[in-house]
Amino acid sequence: MEFTLLPMQGNLVVRIFGELDQHYAEEVRKAVDKEWKREIYHNLIFSLENLEFMDSSGIGLFMGRYKTVSEKGGRVAICGPPPSIKRVIELSGLLKLMDIYRDEEEALNKLVLN
Amino acid sequence: MEFTLLPMQGNLVVRIFGELDQHYAEEVRKAVDKEWKREIYHNLIFSLENLEFMDSSGIGLFMGRYKTVSEKGGRVAICGPPPSIKRVIELSGLLKLMDIYRDEEEALNKLVLN
Amino acid sequence: MEIKDYMRLEIPGFSRNESFARATVAAFAARLDPTLEEMSDIKTAVSEAVTNAVIHAYEDEIGIVFIMAYIENLTITVEVVDQGKGINDVNRAMEPFYTSTPELERSGMGFTIMESFMDEVEVESDHGEGTTIRMVKHISSKNKQGEKSYGAAD
Amino acid sequence: MEIKDYMRLEIPGFSRNESFARATVAAFAARLDPTLEEMSDIKTAVSEAVTNAVIHAYEDEIGIVFIMAYIENLTITVEVVDQGKGINDVNRAMEPFYTSTPELERSGMGFTIMESFMDEVEVESDHGEGTTIRMVKHISSKNKQGEKSYGAAD
Ligand SMILES: Nc1ncnc2c1ncn2[C@@H]1O[C@H](COP(=O)(O)OP(=O)(O)O)[C@@H](O)[C@H]1O
Ligand SMILES: Nc1ncnc2c1ncn2[C@@H]1O[C@H](COP(=O)(O)OP(=O)(O)O)[C@@H](O)[C@H]1O
């Protein structure tokens, strides 16, 4: 697992690569929370186009960030999950809390419009 | 593991792909021996450019075919082994019995010249 | 006596072994030539069960996790066994969104994922004696070519 | 008590399990971030030892093969254990080119490869009680980046 944090149009984009499980979710959580605390971002976008595996630890990660971000009036979006990961997300009811987009571009456009 | 048998300029070329161990060496042996029995080939060439793994079962396979082929005055050549497989071949002393070439083209040219 | 095709893996419950465990079961399952979707179902379910053993069964200590898999015809059965604290109320534990450790950011979806992605899930648990999760998955038979595809596993 | 990083795998000695066994040890060894060459040395040595258990220890029946691996610092130790017929004369067995089964087209190079590709090889064998092969490999320390590279293993 690897990940990168990118500021994009005032939002924080988190690109995650490889396999996301409980062991690695912790790493991502710490880094995202630290960056988010700078209070310079509007929304948070998880970009999963290069994620190859994810179990429910990813759900916990997204839900946990949803709490912090929505407290400040921001939104959380997910983009580009491959089919197997999309099924985990759908099952979890996460889509009641956040939107899912095809790719980063769509996510950035739609978040601005809303 | 997969393999293909190709007649080339009167020689039999055996291209082996993937991982060659004791489980699969047996399969290759049967197919090569059956084809060789047609008595229409001069030499036998093992083409290992796409082989990813080989243990001493490969050595046994090459040595066994050396016996059958040299009885009829033919030669056995090996071409294109990746570095890790080349080390197994060198260790086995096989190069006293057969030559090693960069690729199929070189093997075919040199075998014809000799 | 015919010997079944099986594997049994024992590992200490370090969280970095979660990926090793699911990769090993996947490499074993590869001989059934499952579709990409079936394979990812198995990996995800195994990851949930092994993660539960690592974080719930043993909490702060490192205990041993056993993973057994066996194949009969086109069916793979996977058992994940721990000797940890056990589950008091299995029915409640299996409810969607129930988690005893929200502070670890667990979503409570582990069992729900196992049940959705596998064809059968059974839980046996004794307080203080550990937990056994047994999961069964039937692999579709399209595309079978005997042993051929197994080589592609590694 | 500190728990070592280890794995223990049990499989029936079907020849198709040779590739599964070496792939599993390779996936475990990946956390040491070995070079490609070191990785292929380990895979080849494990393949030799497991193949010997499959074809020599149990001959025509299917016996059980145990594969244990553990890591200490940058050293991996692999043990391959069978409960088969044992080796009468270990010294002779380890000679290059010695094989008891030329009819199976064995080259007699198995032990020679294990000894060349690993840093230490020990053989314990009792007639009728089985054989244990213990192999040690030290991994070079260049290129270490902590845990990072482990994710690339699967
Ligand atoms: N192997 C186990 N040992 C002890 N308790 C467990 C085990 N597996 C699950 N549990 C309990 O069942 C609950 C629900 O599990 P699960 O659905 O996987 O969700 P989560 O892991 O997100 O909490 C856990 O929070 C835990 O209390
Ligand atoms: N696990 C084992 N159980 C019984 N005999 C063994 C075992 N491993 C090796 N041997 C004996 O040692 C000999 C040499 O082994 P090896 O060097 O691997 O060559 P090969 O496998 O090609 O015969 C074998 O032919 C066999 O007689």
Side-chain angles (χ1 to χ4, degrees):
Chain A
M1 199 275 315
E2 281 182 37
F3 63 95
T4 51
L5 302 182
L6 299 152
M8 278 174 107
Q9 306 172 25
N11 304 299
L12 180 58
V13 174
V14 185
R15 287 191 193 146
I16 316 182
F17 305 81
E19 308 213 339
L20 179 62
D21 62 13
Q22 187 253 340
H23 183 64
Y24 295 108
E26 181 103 355
E27 263 183 59
V28 181
R29 178 174 65 75
K30 279 186 198 147
V32 172
D33 282 358
K34 195 172 158 210
E35 183 65 18
W36 188 260
K37 279 217 188 82
R38 294 174 62 198
E39 302 199 354
I40 58 173
Y41 301 106
H42 301 303
N43 306 299
L44 179 62
I45 301 171
F46 286 104
S47 175
L48 310 184
E49 278 177 73
N50 296 296
L51 195 57
E52 285 153 21
F53 173 86
M54 187 187 94
D55 64 16
S56 72
S57 314
I59 304 302
L61 174 73
F62 303 152
M63 283 194 175
R65 305 295 72 60
Y66 174 79
K67 283 179 204 154
T68 341
V69 171
S70 54
E71 267 168 24
K72 299 277 171 190
R75 309 180 63 189
V76 179
I78 288 170
C79 61
S84 63
I85 294 173
K86 199 167 174 190
R87 287 187 298 128
V88 174
I89 292 171
E90 284 168 351
L91 199 63
S92 72
L94 211 62
L95 301 184
K96 285 179 206 137
L97 306 178
M98 47 195 91
D99 290 322
I100 199 165
Y101 299 106
R102 209 176 41 239
D103 51 29
E104 287 175 22
E105 198 186 329
E106 197 192 30
L108 287 164
N109 287 338
K110 295 278 169 66
L111 281 176
V112 169
L113 288 178
N114 281 290
Chain B
M1 199 274 318
E2 281 184 34
F3 63 94
T4 50
L5 303 182
L6 300 152
M8 277 176 111
Q9 306 171 24
N11 303 300
L12 179 59
V13 174
V14 185
R15 285 190 195 147
I16 315 181
F17 306 80
E19 307 214 340
L20 180 62
D21 62 13
Q22 187 252 340
H23 184 65
Y24 294 107
E26 180 104 354
E27 261 185 58
V28 181
R29 177 174 65 75
K30 279 187 198 146
V32 171
D33 283 357
K34 193 169 161 213
E35 183 66 18
W36 187 260
K37 278 217 190 83
R38 294 174 64 199
E39 302 198 354
I40 58 173
Y41 301 107
H42 300 303
N43 305 300
L44 180 62
I45 300 172
F46 286 104
S47 176
L48 310 183
E49 279 177 73
N50 296 298
L51 195 57
E52 285 154 22
F53 173 86
M54 187 187 94
D55 64 15
S56 72
S57 314
I59 304 301
L61 174 72
F62 303 153
M63 282 196 175
R65 305 297 71 61
Y66 174 80
K67 284 181 203 153
T68 341
V69 171
S70 55
E71 267 169 21
K72 299 277 173 188
R75 307 181 63 189
V76 178
I78 289 170
C79 61
S84 64
I85 295 173
K86 200 170 174 190
R87 287 186 300 127
V88 174
I89 292 171
E90 284 166 352
L91 198 65
S92 71
L94 211 64
L95 301 183
K96 285 178 204 137
L97 305 178
M98 49 194 89
D99 290 322
I100 200 164
Y101 298 106
R102 209 176 42 239
D103 51 28
E104 287 177 21
E105 198 188 330
E106 196 193 30
L108 288 165
N109 287 336
K110 294 279 171 65
L111 281 176
V112 168
L113 288 178
N114 281 288
Chain C
M1 201 192 70
E2 215 193 301
I3 291 189
K4 257 186 279 186
D5 206 356
Y6 78 92
M7 58 143 271
R8 188 165 182 280
L9 178 69
E10 176 186 330
I11 42 173
F14 296 116
S15 65
R16 63 172 170 270
N17 279 330
E18 291 157 11
S19 58
F20 173 62
R22 63 181 180 261
T24 302
V25 175
F28 181 74
R31 66 192 62 187
L32 283 178
D33 197 17
T35 62
L36 273 183
E37 185 175 323
E38 288 163 343
M39 188 61 116
S40 108
D41 290 352
I42 294 169
K43 278 183 81 170
T44 311
V46 169
S47 194
E48 298 297 346
V50 172
T51 301
N52 280 353
V54 168
I55 61 174
H56 297 306
Y58 296 118
E59 295 180 295
D60 294 332
E61 27 154 43
I62 301 297
I64 306 302
V65 184
F66 302 88
I67 298 116
M68 240 268 280
Y70 54 89
I71 287 172
E72 277 177 309
N73 303 318
L74 285 170
T75 299
I76 182 166
T77 303
V78 183
E79 274 180 34
V80 177
V81 179
D82 67 64
Q83 297 162 340
K85 69 173 183 186
I87 304 175
N88 279 327
D89 184 342
V90 170
N91 287 334
R92 193 178 58 159
M94 296 185 80
E95 276 170 22
F97 303 108
Y98 171 76
T99 178
S100 57
T101 57
E103 74 282 7
L104 295 180
E105 300 209 330
R106 301 303 300 164
S107 63
M109 291 304 290
F111 278 122
T112 308
I113 286 178
M114 292 182 239
E115 292 196 294
S116 314
F117 286 8
M118 302 293 273
D119 293 308
E120 291 169 38
V121 177
E122 263 173 56
V123 182
E124 269 170 52
S125 192
D126 287 309
H127 188 62
E129 311 236 311
T131 300
T132 295
I133 313 287
R134 186 176 303 105
M135 304 184 277
V136 176
K137 178 96 177 168
H138 308 298
I139 300 302
S140 57
S141 66
K142 58 118 210 56
N143 214 6
K144 288 287 160 287
Q145 310 162 333
E147 295 283 275
K148 260 293 157 47
S149 52
Y150 173 49
D154 12 36
Chain D
M1 202 195 68
E2 214 195 300
I3 291 189
K4 257 185 280 186
D5 206 358
Y6 78 92
M7 56 144 271
R8 189 166 183 280
L9 179 68
E10 176 186 329
I11 42 173
F14 295 116
S15 65
R16 61 173 171 268
N17 279 329
E18 291 157 12
S19 59
F20 173 62
R22 62 179 182 262
T24 302
V25 175
F28 182 74
R31 64 192 65 185
L32 283 179
D33 197 17
T35 62
L36 272 184
E37 186 175 322
E38 288 162 343
M39 190 61 117
S40 106
D41 289 353
I42 294 169
K43 277 183 81 170
T44 311
V46 170
S47 193
E48 298 296 346
V50 173
T51 301
N52 281 353
V54 168
I55 59 173
H56 297 307
Y58 296 117
E59 296 180 292
D60 294 331
E61 25 155 44
I62 299 297
I64 307 303
V65 183
F66 302 87
I67 298 116
M68 240 268 282
Y70 55 90
I71 286 172
E72 277 178 308
N73 303 318
L74 284 171
T75 298
I76 181 164
T77 303
V78 184
E79 275 180 34
V80 177
V81 179
D82 67 64
Q83 296 163 339
K85 69 173 185 185
I87 305 176
N88 279 326
D89 183 343
V90 170
N91 288 332
R92 191 176 61 158
M94 295 185 79
E95 277 169 21
F97 303 110
Y98 171 77
T99 178
S100 57
T101 58
E103 75 283 5
L104 294 180
E105 299 208 332
R106 300 304 300 164
S107 63
M109 291 304 291
F111 278 120
T112 309
I113 286 178
M114 292 181 237
E115 293 197 292
S116 314
F117 286 7
M118 303 292 273
D119 293 308
E120 291 169 39
V121 177
E122 264 173 54
V123 181
E124 269 170 51
S125 192
D126 287 309
H127 187 65
E129 310 236 310
T131 300
T132 295
I133 311 287
R134 186 176 303 105
M135 304 184 278
V136 176
K137 177 98 177 166
H138 308 299
I139 301 302
S140 56
S141 67
K142 56 119 210 57
N143 214 7
K144 288 288 159 288
Q145 309 163 333
E147 296 282 276
K148 261 294 157 46
S149 52
Y150 174 46
D154 16 33

